[in-house]
Amino acid sequence: MRDVNTDNITDVFMGYFGKDTNPRLREIMLSLATHLHAFAKETNLTHDEWRRGIEFMEWAGRITDEERHEFVLLSDVLGLSALVDMIHSVPGGTSSSVLGPFHITGAPPLAFGADMKRHYEGPVLLARGTVKNMKGEPIEGAELDIWQTAPNGMYSSQDPDQDTYSFHGIQTTGPDGRYGFTTVKPVSYTVPTDGPVGDILNATGRHPWRPSHLHYIIKAEGYRTLVTEIFPDDDPYLDEDTVFGVRDDLVMKYVEQPAQTFPDGFELSGKVNEPYLLADFDLILTPAAEA
Ligand code: BEZ
Ligand code: FE
């Protein structure tokens, strides 16, 4: 095609596709091109502006490595990660939420009752609950991959002072579907702002804060894997999470308890002398999609 113009360019682009192109890829590329071309026309995008856009993406590429995922962060602050999540959420189960860029694989096993707080300063949080199906029946053998920040607001992969797997662990539920562990109360923290995403936040007058949370990925045979996070109801950033991850059903209370009520069966049993926080939160899984 030699008479390409602003009206036909999307059709011309699609016309270049081979006839054996995967239909789903064709559908996605058509929609992407339609919206991208409309975006350039609607905004009357200039060469300079698009060059800056490309420089932005090049910077994001340069800064990305095994531990720093700037494109994930970009998707998160644009609300795209949260939107994809919501489009595919299944009613009746615990809501899913953003994975974020700080999950690492290979976390060590965390036995029921084990402690992740160790020597870190801050209030003890006892988190527990039952992993259930939609009928309310406990799920045995569910695997909870748990991670959170240290009290300094950093994940282990961001912080040279932490061990690789500090505040990461994997717990498997027994026949009663129960999980339980102690940790330090998570804190609100900022997403990384020293890269191109930080520049965008700054240029658009946005703050980089996330409300404090515990991350979980819950896997169980026959159930859909749930990626989620739970938030305490008193966090000041609950209504302005910079990555749009908060859902009503993921907000719970940390209830302060006197030290003498600390239960048996935990690594810290008998060792807690100050009031501690209790977070009771059940996690409901939905059935796996039929293959
Ligand atoms: C997180 O919760 O770890 C996170 C999510 C999105 C962007 C940055 C961090
Ligand atoms: Fe997080």
Side-chain angles (χ1 to χ4, degrees), residues 59-105:
W59 184 12
R62 278 197 305 278
I63 210 172
T64 294
D65 61 22
E66 296 236 318
E67 289 180 348
R68 173 84 188 242
H69 300 281
E70 198 71 4
F71 286 102
V72 176
L73 187 58
L74 178 60
S75 161
D76 294 340
V77 303
L78 288 177
L80 193 53
S81 307
L83 185 58
V84 171
D85 229 48
M86 289 186 281
I87 292 169
H88 296 287
S89 88
V90 177
T94 300
S95 292
S96 57
S97 185
V98 292
L99 172 67
F102 299 115
H103 174 253
I104 50 178
T105 52

Coordinates of all heavy atoms in Angstrom, one line a residue, residues 59-105:
W59 N 14.7 3.8 29.0 CA 15.2 3.9 30.4 C 14.6 2.8 31.2 O 15.3 2.1 32.0 CB 14.8 5.3 31.0 CG 15.3 5.6 32.4 CD1 16.3 4.9 33.0 CD2 15.0 6.7 33.2 NE1 16.5 5.5 34.3 CE2 15.7 6.6 34.4 CE3 14.1 7.8 33.1 CZ2 15.6 7.5 35.4 CZ3 13.9 8.7 34.1 CH2 14.7 8.5 35.3
A60 N 13.3 2.5 31.0 CA 12.7 1.4 31.8 C 13.4 0.1 31.5 O 13.6 -0.7 32.3 CB 11.2 1.4 31.5
G61 N 13.7 0.0 30.2 CA 14.4 -1.3 29.8 C 15.8 -1.4 30.4 O 16.2 -2.4 30.9
R62 N 16.5 -0.2 30.4 CA 17.9 -0.3 31.0 C 17.9 -0.6 32.5 O 18.8 -1.3 33.0 CB 18.6 1.1 30.8 CG 19.2 1.3 29.4 CD 20.2 2.4 29.4 NE 19.6 3.7 29.9 CZ 18.9 4.5 29.1 NH1 18.6 4.2 27.8 NH2 18.4 5.6 29.6
I63 N 16.9 -0.1 33.2 CA 16.8 -0.2 34.6 C 16.3 -1.6 35.1 O 16.4 -2.0 36.2 CB 16.0 0.9 35.2 CG1 16.5 1.3 36.6 CG2 14.6 0.6 35.3 CD1 15.8 2.6 37.1
T64 N 15.7 -2.3 34.1 CA 15.1 -3.6 34.5 C 16.1 -4.7 34.5 O 16.9 -4.8 33.6 CB 13.9 -3.9 33.4 OG1 12.9 -3.0 33.6 CG2 13.4 -5.3 33.7
D65 N 16.0 -5.5 35.6 CA 16.9 -6.7 35.7 C 16.1 -7.7 36.5 O 14.9 -7.6 36.7 CB 18.3 -6.4 36.3 CG 18.2 -5.8 37.7 OD1 17.1 -6.1 38.4 OD2 19.1 -5.2 38.1
E66 N 16.8 -8.8 36.9 CA 16.1 -9.9 37.6 C 15.4 -9.4 38.9 O 14.4 -10.0 39.3 CB 17.1 -10.9 38.1 CG 17.8 -11.6 36.9 CD 17.7 -13.1 36.9 OE1 17.8 -13.6 38.0 OE2 17.4 -13.6 35.9
E67 N 15.9 -8.3 39.5 CA 15.3 -7.8 40.7 C 14.5 -6.5 40.6 O 13.8 -6.2 41.5 CB 16.4 -7.7 41.8 CG 16.9 -9.0 42.2 CD 18.0 -9.0 43.2 OE1 18.5 -7.9 43.5 OE2 18.3 -10.1 43.7
R68 N 14.7 -5.9 39.5 CA 14.0 -4.6 39.3 C 13.1 -4.7 38.1 O 13.7 -4.8 37.0 CB 15.0 -3.5 39.2 CG 14.5 -2.1 38.8 CD 14.0 -1.4 40.1 NE 13.3 -0.2 39.8 CZ 13.7 1.0 40.1 NH1 14.8 1.2 40.8 NH2 13.0 2.1 39.8
H69 N 11.8 -4.6 38.3 CA 10.9 -4.8 37.1 C 10.1 -3.5 36.8 O 9.0 -3.4 37.2 CB 10.0 -6.0 37.4 CG 10.7 -7.3 37.7 ND1 11.2 -8.1 36.7 CD2 11.1 -7.9 38.9 CE1 11.8 -9.1 37.3 NE2 11.8 -9.0 38.6
E70 N 10.8 -2.6 36.1 CA 10.2 -1.3 35.9 C 8.9 -1.4 35.1 O 8.0 -0.6 35.3 CB 11.2 -0.4 35.3 CG 10.9 1.1 35.4 CD 11.1 1.7 36.8 OE1 11.5 1.0 37.8 OE2 10.7 2.9 37.0
F71 N 8.8 -2.3 34.1 CA 7.6 -2.4 33.3 C 6.4 -2.9 34.1 O 5.3 -2.5 33.9 CB 7.9 -3.3 32.1 CG 8.7 -2.6 31.0 CD1 10.0 -2.9 30.9 CD2 8.1 -1.6 30.2 CE1 10.8 -2.2 29.9 CE2 8.9 -0.9 29.3 CZ 10.2 -1.3 29.1
V72 N 6.7 -3.8 35.1 CA 5.6 -4.2 36.0 C 5.1 -3.0 36.8 O 3.9 -2.8 36.9 CB 6.1 -5.3 37.0 CG1 5.0 -5.7 37.9 CG2 6.6 -6.6 36.2
L73 N 6.1 -2.2 37.3 CA 5.7 -1.1 38.1 C 4.9 -0.1 37.2 O 4.0 0.5 37.7 CB 7.0 -0.4 38.6 CG 6.9 0.7 39.6 CD1 6.1 0.3 40.8 CD2 8.2 1.2 40.0
L74 N 5.3 0.1 36.0 CA 4.6 1.0 35.1 C 3.2 0.5 34.9 O 2.2 1.3 35.0 CB 5.3 1.1 33.7 CG 4.7 1.9 32.6 CD1 4.6 3.4 33.1 CD2 5.4 1.8 31.3
S75 N 3.0 -0.8 34.6 CA 1.7 -1.3 34.5 C 0.9 -1.1 35.8 O -0.3 -0.8 35.7 CB 1.8 -2.8 34.2 OG 0.7 -3.5 34.4
D76 N 1.5 -1.2 36.9 CA 0.9 -1.1 38.2 C 0.4 0.4 38.4 O -0.8 0.6 38.8 CB 1.8 -1.5 39.3 CG 2.2 -2.9 39.3 OD1 1.4 -3.7 38.7 OD2 3.2 -3.3 39.9
V77 N 1.3 1.4 38.2 CA 0.9 2.7 38.4 C -0.1 3.3 37.4 O -0.8 4.2 37.6 CB 2.0 3.7 38.6 CG1 3.0 3.2 39.7 CG2 2.8 4.0 37.3
L78 N -0.2 2.6 36.2 CA -1.1 3.0 35.2 C -2.5 2.4 35.5 O -3.5 2.7 34.8 CB -0.7 2.5 33.8 CG 0.5 3.3 33.2 CD1 0.8 2.6 31.9 CD2 0.2 4.7 33.0
G79 N -2.6 1.5 36.5 CA -3.8 0.8 36.8 C -4.1 -0.3 35.9 O -5.2 -1.0 36.0
L80 N -3.2 -0.7 35.0 CA -3.4 -1.8 34.0 C -3.4 -3.1 34.7 O -4.2 -4.0 34.4 CB -2.4 -1.7 32.9 CG -2.7 -2.5 31.7 CD1 -4.1 -2.2 31.1 CD2 -1.6 -2.2 30.6
S81 N -2.4 -3.3 35.6 CA -2.4 -4.6 36.4 C -3.7 -4.8 37.1 O -4.2 -5.9 37.1 CB -1.2 -4.6 37.4 OG 0.0 -4.2 36.7
A82 N -4.1 -3.8 37.8 CA -5.3 -3.9 38.6 C -6.5 -4.2 37.7 O -7.4 -5.0 38.1 CB -5.6 -2.7 39.5
L83 N -6.6 -3.5 36.6 CA -7.7 -3.7 35.7 C -7.7 -5.2 35.1 O -8.8 -5.8 35.1 CB -7.6 -2.7 34.5 CG -8.7 -2.7 33.5 CD1 -10.1 -2.4 34.2 CD2 -8.5 -1.6 32.4
V84 N -6.6 -5.7 34.7 CA -6.5 -7.0 34.2 C -7.0 -8.0 35.2 O -7.8 -8.9 35.0 CB -5.1 -7.4 33.7 CG1 -5.0 -8.9 33.3 CG2 -4.7 -6.6 32.5
D85 N -6.6 -7.7 36.5 CA -7.0 -8.5 37.6 C -8.5 -8.5 37.8 O -9.1 -9.5 38.0 CB -6.4 -7.8 38.8 CG -5.7 -8.7 39.7 OD1 -4.9 -9.5 39.2 OD2 -5.9 -8.5 40.9
M86 N -9.1 -7.3 37.8 CA -10.5 -7.2 38.0 C -11.3 -7.8 36.9 O -12.4 -8.4 37.2 CB -10.9 -5.7 38.2 CG -10.4 -5.2 39.6 SD -10.9 -3.5 39.9 CE -9.8 -2.5 38.9
I87 N -10.8 -7.7 35.7 CA -11.6 -8.3 34.5 C -11.7 -9.8 34.7 O -12.7 -10.4 34.4 CB -10.8 -8.0 33.2 CG1 -10.9 -6.5 32.9 CG2 -11.4 -8.8 32.1 CD1 -9.9 -6.1 31.7
H88 N -10.7 -10.4 35.3 CA -10.7 -11.9 35.4 C -11.0 -12.4 36.8 O -10.8 -13.6 37.1 CB -9.3 -12.4 35.0 CG -9.1 -12.1 33.5 ND1 -9.8 -12.8 32.5 CD2 -8.4 -11.2 32.9 CE1 -9.5 -12.3 31.4 NE2 -8.6 -11.3 31.5
S89 N -11.5 -11.5 37.7 CA -11.7 -12.0 39.1 C -13.0 -12.8 39.1 O -13.9 -12.5 38.3 CB -11.8 -10.8 40.1 OG -13.1 -10.3 40.2
V90 N -13.1 -13.8 39.9 CA -14.3 -14.7 39.9 C -15.1 -14.4 41.2 O -14.6 -14.4 42.3 CB -13.8 -16.1 40.0 CG1 -15.0 -17.1 40.1 CG2 -12.9 -16.5 38.8
P91 N -16.4 -14.0 41.0 CA -17.2 -13.7 42.2 C -17.3 -14.9 43.1 O -17.2 -16.0 42.7 CB -18.6 -13.4 41.6 CG -18.5 -13.6 40.1 CD -17.1 -14.1 39.8
G92 N -17.4 -14.6 44.4 CA -17.6 -15.6 45.4 C -16.3 -16.0 46.1 O -16.4 -16.6 47.2
G93 N -15.2 -15.7 45.6 CA -13.9 -16.0 46.2 C -13.3 -14.7 46.8 O -13.8 -13.6 46.6
T94 N -12.2 -14.9 47.5 CA -11.5 -13.7 48.0 C -11.0 -12.9 46.7 O -10.5 -13.5 45.8 CB -10.3 -14.1 48.9 OG1 -10.8 -14.8 50.0 CG2 -9.5 -12.9 49.3
S95 N -11.1 -11.6 46.8 CA -10.6 -10.8 45.6 C -9.1 -11.0 45.4 O -8.4 -11.2 46.3 CB -10.8 -9.3 45.9 OG -12.2 -9.0 45.9
S96 N -8.8 -10.9 44.1 CA -7.3 -11.0 43.8 C -6.8 -9.5 43.9 O -7.6 -8.6 43.9 CB -7.1 -11.6 42.5 OG -7.8 -10.9 41.5
S97 N -5.5 -9.4 43.9 CA -4.9 -8.1 43.8 C -3.6 -8.1 43.2 O -3.1 -9.2 42.8 CB -4.8 -7.5 45.3 OG -4.3 -6.2 45.2
V98 N -2.9 -7.0 43.0 CA -1.7 -7.0 42.2 C -0.5 -7.8 42.8 O -0.4 -7.9 44.0 CB -1.2 -5.5 42.0 CG1 -2.1 -4.7 41.1 CG2 -1.0 -4.8 43.3
L99 N 0.2 -8.4 42.0 CA 1.4 -9.2 42.4 C 2.5 -8.3 42.8 O 3.2 -8.6 43.7 CB 1.8 -10.1 41.2 CG 3.1 -10.9 41.4 CD1 2.9 -12.0 42.4 CD2 3.5 -11.6 40.0
G100 N 2.7 -7.2 42.0 CA 3.8 -6.3 42.3 C 5.1 -7.0 41.8 O 5.2 -8.1 41.4
P101 N 6.2 -6.2 41.9 CA 7.5 -6.6 41.3 C 8.4 -7.3 42.3 O 9.5 -7.6 42.0 CB 8.1 -5.3 40.8 CG 7.5 -4.3 41.6 CD 6.2 -4.7 42.2
F102 N 7.9 -7.5 43.6 CA 8.9 -8.0 44.6 C 8.7 -9.4 45.1 O 9.3 -9.9 46.0 CB 8.8 -7.1 45.8 CG 9.2 -5.7 45.5 CD1 8.3 -4.6 45.5 CD2 10.5 -5.4 45.0 CE1 8.7 -3.3 45.2 CE2 10.9 -4.1 44.6 CZ 9.9 -3.1 44.7
H103 N 7.8 -10.2 44.4 CA 7.7 -11.6 44.7 C 9.0 -12.3 44.2 O 9.5 -12.0 43.1 CB 6.5 -12.2 44.1 CG 6.4 -13.7 44.3 ND1 6.7 -14.6 43.3 CD2 6.2 -14.4 45.4 CE1 6.6 -15.8 43.8 NE2 6.3 -15.7 45.1
I104 N 9.5 -13.2 45.1 CA 10.6 -14.0 44.6 C 10.3 -15.5 44.8 O 9.6 -15.8 45.7 CB 12.0 -13.7 45.3 CG1 11.9 -13.6 46.8 CG2 12.5 -12.3 44.8 CD1 13.2 -13.4 47.5
T105 N 10.8 -16.3 43.9 CA 10.5 -17.7 44.0 C 11.5 -18.4 44.9 O 12.5 -17.9 45.2 CB 10.6 -18.4 42.6 OG1 11.8 -18.1 42.0 CG2 9.5 -17.9 41.6

